[in-house]
Amino acid sequence: MAKEIKDELKDVLTRVVDSADGYENAAEDAKAGRFAVMFREKAQERRGFASEIRNHLTGLGEDVKEDGSLLAGAHRTFTELKNAVTGGSDDAILKEIERGESTLLKEYDDALEDIPSTDMAYGVLQRQRESVSRSLSEVKTYES
């Protein structure tokens, strides 16, 4: 069971790091200042999420670093964001962020299905998931 929890947490961690990176890229190239500020805040929030997940994994005996061993085989949720950002409009960036947030939300849902609600990680992931869901709703309100 602990192995399953570790694997689920690592999967979520990978997506959360991708999300933080995607938001940082978006902040650098957003045309509207309000979006740049929002994207930087989201990147910071996701870095905090990653730290929480890493701390939980460390408590389970995992040596987790944000390096190639964790991220090497990961599918990058925000890969397309880089293309949208380079020469793209804020609308294109928002659309790609929406896609990425939807993917991250699914990752949280999958993990929450597999992790017992009695495990400490469950509460952490549930709280983080709620924040991602709010972020997704917020991004949708900005789309034209």
Side-chain angles (χ1 to χ4, degrees), residues 21-80:
D21 291 345
Y23 273 120
E24 286 175 5
N25 288 334
E28 290 172 11
D29 294 310
K31 310 290 186 244
R34 70 178 181 186
F35 290 140
V37 170
M38 179 179 73
F39 297 158
R40 281 187 187 90
E41 289 171 355
K42 297 296 180 192
Q44 182 70 23
E45 175 188 63
R46 299 305 157 76
R47 294 283 179 220
F49 288 177
S51 180
E52 287 179 313
I53 295 169
R54 268 191 215 94
N55 288 341
H56 195 79
L57 282 164
T58 300
L60 294 173
E62 285 293 302
D63 181 24
V64 182
K65 295 181 179 85
E66 189 176 341
D67 62 11
S69 64
L70 174 63
L71 304 176
H75 173 318
R76 297 300 193 167
T77 302
F78 282 87
T79 300
E80 295 301 314

Short mmCIF file of all heavy atoms in Angstrom, two decimals, residues 21-80:
data_model
loop_
_atom_site.label_atom_id
_atom_site.label_comp_id
_atom_site.label_asym_id
_atom_site.label_seq_id
_atom_site.Cartn_x
_atom_site.Cartn_y
_atom_site.Cartn_z
N ASP A 21 6.28 25.35 -13.61
CA ASP A 21 7.12 25.76 -14.74
C ASP A 21 6.29 26.44 -15.82
O ASP A 21 6.70 27.45 -16.40
CB ASP A 21 7.86 24.56 -15.34
CG ASP A 21 8.92 23.99 -14.42
OD1 ASP A 21 9.30 24.66 -13.43
OD2 ASP A 21 9.38 22.86 -14.68
N GLY A 22 5.13 25.87 -16.10
CA GLY A 22 4.25 26.45 -17.12
C GLY A 22 3.80 27.85 -16.74
O GLY A 22 3.80 28.76 -17.58
N TYR A 23 3.42 28.02 -15.49
CA TYR A 23 3.00 29.35 -15.04
C TYR A 23 4.16 30.35 -15.10
O TYR A 23 3.96 31.51 -15.45
CB TYR A 23 2.42 29.29 -13.63
CG TYR A 23 0.95 28.98 -13.60
CD1 TYR A 23 0.46 27.86 -12.95
CD2 TYR A 23 0.02 29.83 -14.21
CE1 TYR A 23 -0.90 27.58 -12.91
CE2 TYR A 23 -1.33 29.56 -14.17
CZ TYR A 23 -1.79 28.44 -13.52
OH TYR A 23 -3.14 28.17 -13.49
N GLU A 24 5.35 29.90 -14.76
CA GLU A 24 6.51 30.81 -14.85
C GLU A 24 6.76 31.24 -16.29
O GLU A 24 7.01 32.41 -16.56
CB GLU A 24 7.75 30.14 -14.25
CG GLU A 24 7.70 30.07 -12.75
CD GLU A 24 8.85 29.30 -12.12
OE1 GLU A 24 9.77 28.87 -12.85
OE2 GLU A 24 8.83 29.12 -10.90
N ASN A 25 6.68 30.30 -17.22
CA ASN A 25 6.83 30.64 -18.64
C ASN A 25 5.75 31.61 -19.08
O ASN A 25 6.02 32.56 -19.81
CB ASN A 25 6.79 29.38 -19.51
CG ASN A 25 8.03 28.53 -19.38
OD1 ASN A 25 9.10 29.03 -19.06
ND2 ASN A 25 7.88 27.24 -19.62
N ALA A 26 4.53 31.36 -18.66
CA ALA A 26 3.42 32.22 -19.05
C ALA A 26 3.60 33.63 -18.49
O ALA A 26 3.31 34.62 -19.17
CB ALA A 26 2.10 31.62 -18.56
N ALA A 27 4.07 33.73 -17.26
CA ALA A 27 4.27 35.04 -16.64
C ALA A 27 5.30 35.87 -17.40
O ALA A 27 5.15 37.09 -17.55
CB ALA A 27 4.70 34.88 -15.18
N GLU A 28 6.33 35.21 -17.90
CA GLU A 28 7.39 35.92 -18.63
C GLU A 28 6.87 36.53 -19.92
O GLU A 28 7.35 37.58 -20.34
CB GLU A 28 8.54 34.97 -18.95
CG GLU A 28 9.33 34.55 -17.73
CD GLU A 28 10.35 33.45 -18.04
OE1 GLU A 28 10.58 33.15 -19.23
OE2 GLU A 28 10.89 32.88 -17.08
N ASP A 29 5.89 35.89 -20.55
CA ASP A 29 5.46 36.32 -21.87
C ASP A 29 4.03 36.85 -21.95
O ASP A 29 3.56 37.18 -23.04
CB ASP A 29 5.64 35.17 -22.86
CG ASP A 29 7.10 34.84 -23.06
OD1 ASP A 29 7.89 35.77 -23.32
OD2 ASP A 29 7.46 33.66 -22.95
N ALA A 30 3.37 36.96 -20.82
CA ALA A 30 2.00 37.48 -20.85
C ALA A 30 2.02 38.94 -21.27
O ALA A 30 2.88 39.71 -20.85
CB ALA A 30 1.36 37.33 -19.47
N LYS A 31 1.09 39.29 -22.12
CA LYS A 31 0.99 40.67 -22.62
C LYS A 31 0.36 41.59 -21.57
O LYS A 31 0.79 42.71 -21.41
CB LYS A 31 0.15 40.72 -23.90
CG LYS A 31 0.57 39.72 -24.97
CD LYS A 31 1.89 40.05 -25.59
CE LYS A 31 2.19 39.11 -26.75
NZ LYS A 31 3.32 38.26 -26.55
N ALA A 32 -0.65 41.11 -20.88
CA ALA A 32 -1.33 41.91 -19.87
C ALA A 32 -0.64 41.73 -18.51
O ALA A 32 -0.39 40.61 -18.08
CB ALA A 32 -2.80 41.49 -19.77
N GLY A 33 -0.35 42.85 -17.87
CA GLY A 33 0.33 42.81 -16.57
C GLY A 33 -0.44 42.04 -15.52
O GLY A 33 0.15 41.35 -14.70
N ARG A 34 -1.78 42.12 -15.56
CA ARG A 34 -2.57 41.41 -14.55
C ARG A 34 -2.38 39.91 -14.67
O ARG A 34 -2.39 39.19 -13.69
CB ARG A 34 -4.04 41.77 -14.65
CG ARG A 34 -4.69 41.22 -15.90
CD ARG A 34 -6.15 41.53 -15.98
NE ARG A 34 -6.63 40.92 -17.22
CZ ARG A 34 -7.81 41.06 -17.70
NH1 ARG A 34 -8.66 41.82 -17.07
NH2 ARG A 34 -8.16 40.48 -18.82
N PHE A 35 -2.22 39.42 -15.91
CA PHE A 35 -2.00 37.99 -16.09
C PHE A 35 -0.60 37.60 -15.60
O PHE A 35 -0.44 36.54 -14.98
CB PHE A 35 -2.19 37.58 -17.55
CG PHE A 35 -3.60 37.64 -18.02
CD1 PHE A 35 -3.91 38.12 -19.28
CD2 PHE A 35 -4.65 37.23 -17.21
CE1 PHE A 35 -5.22 38.17 -19.73
CE2 PHE A 35 -5.97 37.29 -17.64
CZ PHE A 35 -6.26 37.77 -18.90
N ALA A 36 0.38 38.42 -15.86
CA ALA A 36 1.74 38.11 -15.40
C ALA A 36 1.78 37.97 -13.89
O ALA A 36 2.38 37.04 -13.35
CB ALA A 36 2.72 39.19 -15.88
N VAL A 37 1.10 38.88 -13.19
CA VAL A 37 1.06 38.81 -11.72
C VAL A 37 0.34 37.54 -11.28
O VAL A 37 0.83 36.81 -10.41
CB VAL A 37 0.36 40.07 -11.14
CG1 VAL A 37 0.07 39.91 -9.66
CG2 VAL A 37 1.20 41.31 -11.39
N MET A 38 -0.80 37.27 -11.88
CA MET A 38 -1.57 36.07 -11.52
C MET A 38 -0.74 34.80 -11.79
O MET A 38 -0.70 33.90 -10.95
CB MET A 38 -2.87 36.00 -12.32
CG MET A 38 -3.71 34.77 -12.01
SD MET A 38 -5.27 34.67 -12.91
CE MET A 38 -4.71 34.27 -14.56
N PHE A 39 -0.07 34.75 -12.93
CA PHE A 39 0.71 33.57 -13.27
C PHE A 39 1.87 33.37 -12.30
O PHE A 39 2.19 32.24 -11.92
CB PHE A 39 1.22 33.64 -14.71
CG PHE A 39 0.13 33.67 -15.76
CD1 PHE A 39 0.39 34.18 -17.01
CD2 PHE A 39 -1.14 33.19 -15.50
CE1 PHE A 39 -0.60 34.22 -17.99
CE2 PHE A 39 -2.15 33.21 -16.47
CZ PHE A 39 -1.87 33.73 -17.72
N ARG A 40 2.52 34.46 -11.89
CA ARG A 40 3.62 34.34 -10.92
C ARG A 40 3.09 33.82 -9.57
O ARG A 40 3.74 33.01 -8.92
CB ARG A 40 4.32 35.68 -10.74
CG ARG A 40 5.28 35.99 -11.86
CD ARG A 40 6.12 37.24 -11.60
NE ARG A 40 6.88 37.56 -12.79
CZ ARG A 40 6.46 38.35 -13.77
NH1 ARG A 40 5.29 38.95 -13.70
NH2 ARG A 40 7.23 38.58 -14.82
N GLU A 41 1.94 34.31 -9.18
CA GLU A 41 1.34 33.84 -7.92
C GLU A 41 1.02 32.35 -8.00
O GLU A 41 1.25 31.61 -7.04
CB GLU A 41 0.08 34.64 -7.60
CG GLU A 41 0.36 36.06 -7.18
CD GLU A 41 -0.89 36.93 -7.06
OE1 GLU A 41 -2.02 36.46 -7.39
OE2 GLU A 41 -0.74 38.09 -6.64
N LYS A 42 0.49 31.92 -9.13
CA LYS A 42 0.15 30.50 -9.31
C LYS A 42 1.42 29.65 -9.32
O LYS A 42 1.45 28.55 -8.76
CB LYS A 42 -0.65 30.27 -10.59
CG LYS A 42 -2.00 30.95 -10.61
CD LYS A 42 -2.92 30.42 -9.55
CE LYS A 42 -4.25 31.14 -9.61
NZ LYS A 42 -5.08 30.86 -8.44
N ALA A 43 2.47 30.14 -9.96
CA ALA A 43 3.74 29.40 -9.97
C ALA A 43 4.26 29.23 -8.55
O ALA A 43 4.69 28.13 -8.16
CB ALA A 43 4.76 30.12 -10.84
N GLN A 44 4.20 30.30 -7.77
CA GLN A 44 4.65 30.24 -6.37
C GLN A 44 3.81 29.26 -5.57
O GLN A 44 4.33 28.46 -4.79
CB GLN A 44 4.59 31.64 -5.76
CG GLN A 44 5.07 31.71 -4.34
CD GLN A 44 6.57 31.52 -4.24
OE1 GLN A 44 7.31 31.74 -5.19
NE2 GLN A 44 7.04 31.09 -3.09
N GLU A 45 2.50 29.31 -5.77
CA GLU A 45 1.60 28.39 -5.07
C GLU A 45 1.96 26.94 -5.41
O GLU A 45 2.05 26.09 -4.53
CB GLU A 45 0.15 28.66 -5.47
CG GLU A 45 -0.83 27.66 -4.88
CD GLU A 45 -2.23 27.84 -5.44
OE1 GLU A 45 -2.41 27.66 -6.67
OE2 GLU A 45 -3.13 28.14 -4.63
N ARG A 46 2.19 26.67 -6.69
CA ARG A 46 2.51 25.30 -7.12
C ARG A 46 3.86 24.85 -6.57
O ARG A 46 4.04 23.67 -6.26
CB ARG A 46 2.48 25.18 -8.64
CG ARG A 46 1.11 25.48 -9.23
CD ARG A 46 0.02 24.61 -8.58
NE ARG A 46 -1.30 25.19 -8.70
CZ ARG A 46 -2.04 25.21 -9.77
NH1 ARG A 46 -1.60 24.68 -10.89
NH2 ARG A 46 -3.23 25.77 -9.76
N ARG A 47 4.82 25.76 -6.45
CA ARG A 47 6.10 25.40 -5.82
C ARG A 47 5.85 24.98 -4.36
O ARG A 47 6.46 24.03 -3.87
CB ARG A 47 7.08 26.56 -5.88
CG ARG A 47 7.53 26.93 -7.28
CD ARG A 47 8.55 25.96 -7.83
NE ARG A 47 8.91 26.36 -9.18
CZ ARG A 47 9.10 25.52 -10.16
NH1 ARG A 47 8.99 24.22 -9.97
NH2 ARG A 47 9.41 25.95 -11.36
N GLY A 48 4.96 25.69 -3.70
CA GLY A 48 4.60 25.31 -2.33
C GLY A 48 3.93 23.94 -2.28
O GLY A 48 4.22 23.14 -1.38
N PHE A 49 3.04 23.67 -3.24
CA PHE A 49 2.41 22.35 -3.31
C PHE A 49 3.47 21.26 -3.47
O PHE A 49 3.42 20.22 -2.82
CB PHE A 49 1.44 22.26 -4.49
CG PHE A 49 0.16 23.04 -4.34
CD1 PHE A 49 -0.75 23.07 -5.38
CD2 PHE A 49 -0.15 23.75 -3.19
CE1 PHE A 49 -1.94 23.76 -5.28
CE2 PHE A 49 -1.34 24.46 -3.07
CZ PHE A 49 -2.24 24.46 -4.13
N ALA A 50 4.42 21.52 -4.38
CA ALA A 50 5.48 20.54 -4.62
C ALA A 50 6.27 20.28 -3.35
O ALA A 50 6.60 19.13 -3.04
CB ALA A 50 6.39 21.03 -5.76
N SER A 51 6.56 21.33 -2.62
CA SER A 51 7.30 21.18 -1.37
C SER A 51 6.53 20.33 -0.36
O SER A 51 7.10 19.45 0.30
CB SER A 51 7.60 22.56 -0.79
OG SER A 51 8.30 22.46 0.41
N GLU A 52 5.23 20.56 -0.27
CA GLU A 52 4.40 19.75 0.64
C GLU A 52 4.43 18.28 0.25
O GLU A 52 4.55 17.40 1.12
CB GLU A 52 2.96 20.24 0.62
CG GLU A 52 2.72 21.55 1.32
CD GLU A 52 1.27 21.97 1.24
OE1 GLU A 52 0.68 21.93 0.15
OE2 GLU A 52 0.73 22.35 2.30
N ILE A 53 4.30 18.02 -1.03
CA ILE A 53 4.30 16.63 -1.49
C ILE A 53 5.67 15.99 -1.26
O ILE A 53 5.77 14.85 -0.81
CB ILE A 53 3.89 16.54 -2.97
CG1 ILE A 53 2.43 17.00 -3.13
CG2 ILE A 53 4.06 15.11 -3.50
CD1 ILE A 53 1.98 17.22 -4.56
N ARG A 54 6.74 16.74 -1.56
CA ARG A 54 8.09 16.22 -1.30
C ARG A 54 8.27 15.89 0.17
O ARG A 54 8.86 14.85 0.52
CB ARG A 54 9.14 17.25 -1.73
CG ARG A 54 9.61 17.09 -3.12
CD ARG A 54 10.85 17.96 -3.38
NE ARG A 54 10.75 18.41 -4.75
CZ ARG A 54 10.21 19.57 -5.14
NH1 ARG A 54 9.76 20.42 -4.26
NH2 ARG A 54 10.14 19.87 -6.41
N ASN A 55 7.80 16.77 1.05
CA ASN A 55 7.92 16.52 2.50
C ASN A 55 7.19 15.24 2.89
O ASN A 55 7.69 14.46 3.70
CB ASN A 55 7.39 17.71 3.30
CG ASN A 55 8.29 18.91 3.23
OD1 ASN A 55 9.48 18.81 2.91
ND2 ASN A 55 7.73 20.08 3.52
N HIS A 56 6.03 15.03 2.32
CA HIS A 56 5.29 13.81 2.63
C HIS A 56 6.04 12.58 2.12
O HIS A 56 6.13 11.57 2.83
CB HIS A 56 3.87 13.87 2.04
CG HIS A 56 2.97 12.84 2.63
ND1 HIS A 56 2.38 12.99 3.86
CD2 HIS A 56 2.58 11.63 2.17
CE1 HIS A 56 1.67 11.92 4.13
NE2 HIS A 56 1.76 11.08 3.12
N LEU A 57 6.58 12.67 0.92
CA LEU A 57 7.35 11.55 0.38
C LEU A 57 8.59 11.27 1.22
O LEU A 57 8.93 10.11 1.46
CB LEU A 57 7.74 11.82 -1.07
CG LEU A 57 6.63 11.61 -2.10
CD1 LEU A 57 6.98 12.27 -3.42
CD2 LEU A 57 6.36 10.12 -2.29
N THR A 58 9.23 12.31 1.68
CA THR A 58 10.40 12.14 2.55
C THR A 58 9.99 11.41 3.82
O THR A 58 10.71 10.52 4.30
CB THR A 58 11.03 13.50 2.89
OG1 THR A 58 11.45 14.12 1.66
CG2 THR A 58 12.24 13.35 3.80
N GLY A 59 8.82 11.76 4.35
CA GLY A 59 8.30 11.08 5.54
C GLY A 59 8.02 9.60 5.30
O GLY A 59 8.01 8.81 6.23
N LEU A 60 7.80 9.25 4.03
CA LEU A 60 7.57 7.84 3.67
C LEU A 60 8.88 7.13 3.31
O LEU A 60 8.87 6.01 2.83
CB LEU A 60 6.59 7.75 2.49
CG LEU A 60 5.17 8.20 2.77
CD1 LEU A 60 4.35 8.21 1.48
CD2 LEU A 60 4.51 7.29 3.81
N GLY A 61 9.99 7.83 3.52
CA GLY A 61 11.29 7.21 3.27
C GLY A 61 11.83 7.40 1.87
O GLY A 61 12.82 6.77 1.50
N GLU A 62 11.21 8.26 1.07
CA GLU A 62 11.67 8.51 -0.30
C GLU A 62 12.67 9.66 -0.31
O GLU A 62 12.50 10.66 0.38
CB GLU A 62 10.49 8.88 -1.21
CG GLU A 62 9.63 7.72 -1.59
CD GLU A 62 10.34 6.73 -2.48
OE1 GLU A 62 10.80 7.11 -3.57
OE2 GLU A 62 10.41 5.56 -2.09
N ASP A 63 13.70 9.51 -1.12
CA ASP A 63 14.66 10.59 -1.35
C ASP A 63 14.25 11.27 -2.65
O ASP A 63 14.58 10.80 -3.74
CB ASP A 63 16.08 10.02 -1.44
CG ASP A 63 17.12 11.11 -1.65
OD1 ASP A 63 16.85 12.27 -1.29
OD2 ASP A 63 18.20 10.80 -2.19
N VAL A 64 13.50 12.35 -2.53
CA VAL A 64 12.91 13.00 -3.70
C VAL A 64 13.58 14.33 -3.93
O VAL A 64 13.65 15.17 -3.05
CB VAL A 64 11.39 13.23 -3.50
CG1 VAL A 64 10.79 13.84 -4.73
CG2 VAL A 64 10.70 11.93 -3.16
N LYS A 65 14.06 14.48 -5.14
CA LYS A 65 14.67 15.73 -5.55
C LYS A 65 14.02 16.13 -6.86
O LYS A 65 13.57 15.30 -7.63
CB LYS A 65 16.17 15.57 -5.75
CG LYS A 65 16.93 15.24 -4.49
CD LYS A 65 18.40 15.11 -4.77
CE LYS A 65 19.17 14.80 -3.52
NZ LYS A 65 19.22 13.41 -3.17
N GLU A 66 13.98 17.43 -7.10
CA GLU A 66 13.45 17.92 -8.37
C GLU A 66 14.56 17.82 -9.40
O GLU A 66 15.20 18.79 -9.75
CB GLU A 66 12.97 19.36 -8.21
CG GLU A 66 12.23 19.87 -9.39
CD GLU A 66 11.71 21.26 -9.15
OE1 GLU A 66 11.59 21.70 -8.01
OE2 GLU A 66 11.41 21.93 -10.14
N ASP A 67 14.81 16.61 -9.86
CA ASP A 67 15.88 16.41 -10.83
C ASP A 67 15.42 15.44 -11.90
O ASP A 67 14.29 15.00 -11.91
CB ASP A 67 17.16 15.93 -10.14
CG ASP A 67 16.99 14.58 -9.46
OD1 ASP A 67 15.95 13.90 -9.66
OD2 ASP A 67 17.89 14.18 -8.72
N GLY A 68 16.33 15.08 -12.75
CA GLY A 68 16.01 14.20 -13.87
C GLY A 68 15.46 12.85 -13.47
O GLY A 68 14.66 12.28 -14.18
N SER A 69 15.89 12.32 -12.33
CA SER A 69 15.41 11.00 -11.93
C SER A 69 13.91 11.02 -11.69
O SER A 69 13.22 10.04 -11.96
CB SER A 69 16.14 10.51 -10.68
OG SER A 69 15.86 11.36 -9.59
N LEU A 70 13.38 12.12 -11.21
CA LEU A 70 11.94 12.21 -10.99
C LEU A 70 11.22 12.60 -12.26
O LEU A 70 10.15 12.10 -12.58
CB LEU A 70 11.65 13.25 -9.90
CG LEU A 70 10.17 13.56 -9.65
CD1 LEU A 70 9.45 12.31 -9.14
CD2 LEU A 70 10.03 14.69 -8.68
N LEU A 71 11.80 13.50 -13.02
CA LEU A 71 11.08 14.10 -14.12
C LEU A 71 11.41 13.53 -15.50
O LEU A 71 10.76 13.88 -16.47
CB LEU A 71 11.37 15.62 -14.14
CG LEU A 71 11.04 16.36 -12.84
CD1 LEU A 71 11.46 17.80 -12.94
CD2 LEU A 71 9.57 16.26 -12.52
N ALA A 72 12.39 12.66 -15.59
CA ALA A 72 12.88 12.21 -16.89
C ALA A 72 11.80 11.63 -17.79
O ALA A 72 11.70 11.99 -18.96
CB ALA A 72 13.99 11.19 -16.70
N GLY A 73 10.99 10.75 -17.27
CA GLY A 73 10.00 10.08 -18.12
C GLY A 73 8.66 10.77 -18.13
O GLY A 73 7.71 10.27 -18.72
N ALA A 74 8.56 11.91 -17.51
CA ALA A 74 7.26 12.57 -17.37
C ALA A 74 6.78 13.18 -18.67
O ALA A 74 7.56 13.76 -19.42
CB ALA A 74 7.35 13.65 -16.31
N HIS A 75 5.51 13.03 -18.90
CA HIS A 75 4.87 13.75 -20.01
C HIS A 75 4.64 15.16 -19.50
O HIS A 75 4.07 15.37 -18.45
CB HIS A 75 3.54 13.10 -20.35
CG HIS A 75 2.75 13.87 -21.36
ND1 HIS A 75 2.63 15.24 -21.35
CD2 HIS A 75 2.03 13.47 -22.41
CE1 HIS A 75 1.87 15.63 -22.35
NE2 HIS A 75 1.50 14.56 -23.00
N ARG A 76 5.07 16.14 -20.24
CA ARG A 76 4.96 17.51 -19.80
C ARG A 76 3.60 18.10 -20.14
O ARG A 76 3.26 18.31 -21.30
CB ARG A 76 6.05 18.38 -20.46
CG ARG A 76 7.44 17.98 -20.06
CD ARG A 76 7.54 18.14 -18.60
NE ARG A 76 8.92 18.08 -18.19
CZ ARG A 76 9.29 18.43 -16.99
NH1 ARG A 76 8.43 18.88 -16.13
NH2 ARG A 76 10.53 18.34 -16.65
N THR A 77 2.83 18.37 -19.11
CA THR A 77 1.51 18.95 -19.29
C THR A 77 1.59 20.29 -20.00
O THR A 77 0.78 20.61 -20.85
CB THR A 77 0.84 19.14 -17.91
OG1 THR A 77 0.76 17.89 -17.27
CG2 THR A 77 -0.54 19.74 -18.05
N PHE A 78 2.59 21.07 -19.65
CA PHE A 78 2.67 22.42 -20.19
C PHE A 78 3.64 22.55 -21.36
O PHE A 78 4.07 23.64 -21.69
CB PHE A 78 3.06 23.40 -19.08
CG PHE A 78 1.91 23.75 -18.18
CD1 PHE A 78 1.60 22.97 -17.10
CD2 PHE A 78 1.13 24.85 -18.44
CE1 PHE A 78 0.54 23.29 -16.27
CE2 PHE A 78 0.06 25.19 -17.63
CZ PHE A 78 -0.23 24.40 -16.54
N THR A 79 3.96 21.46 -22.03
CA THR A 79 4.86 21.53 -23.17
C THR A 79 4.31 22.46 -24.23
O THR A 79 5.04 23.30 -24.78
CB THR A 79 5.09 20.13 -23.78
OG1 THR A 79 5.67 19.30 -22.79
CG2 THR A 79 6.00 20.20 -24.98
N GLU A 80 3.05 22.34 -24.52
CA GLU A 80 2.43 23.18 -25.54
C GLU A 80 2.36 24.63 -25.12
O GLU A 80 2.24 25.51 -25.97
CB GLU A 80 1.04 22.65 -25.89
CG GLU A 80 1.05 21.28 -26.52
CD GLU A 80 1.85 21.24 -27.81
OE1 GLU A 80 1.68 22.14 -28.65
OE2 GLU A 80 2.65 20.30 -27.97
#
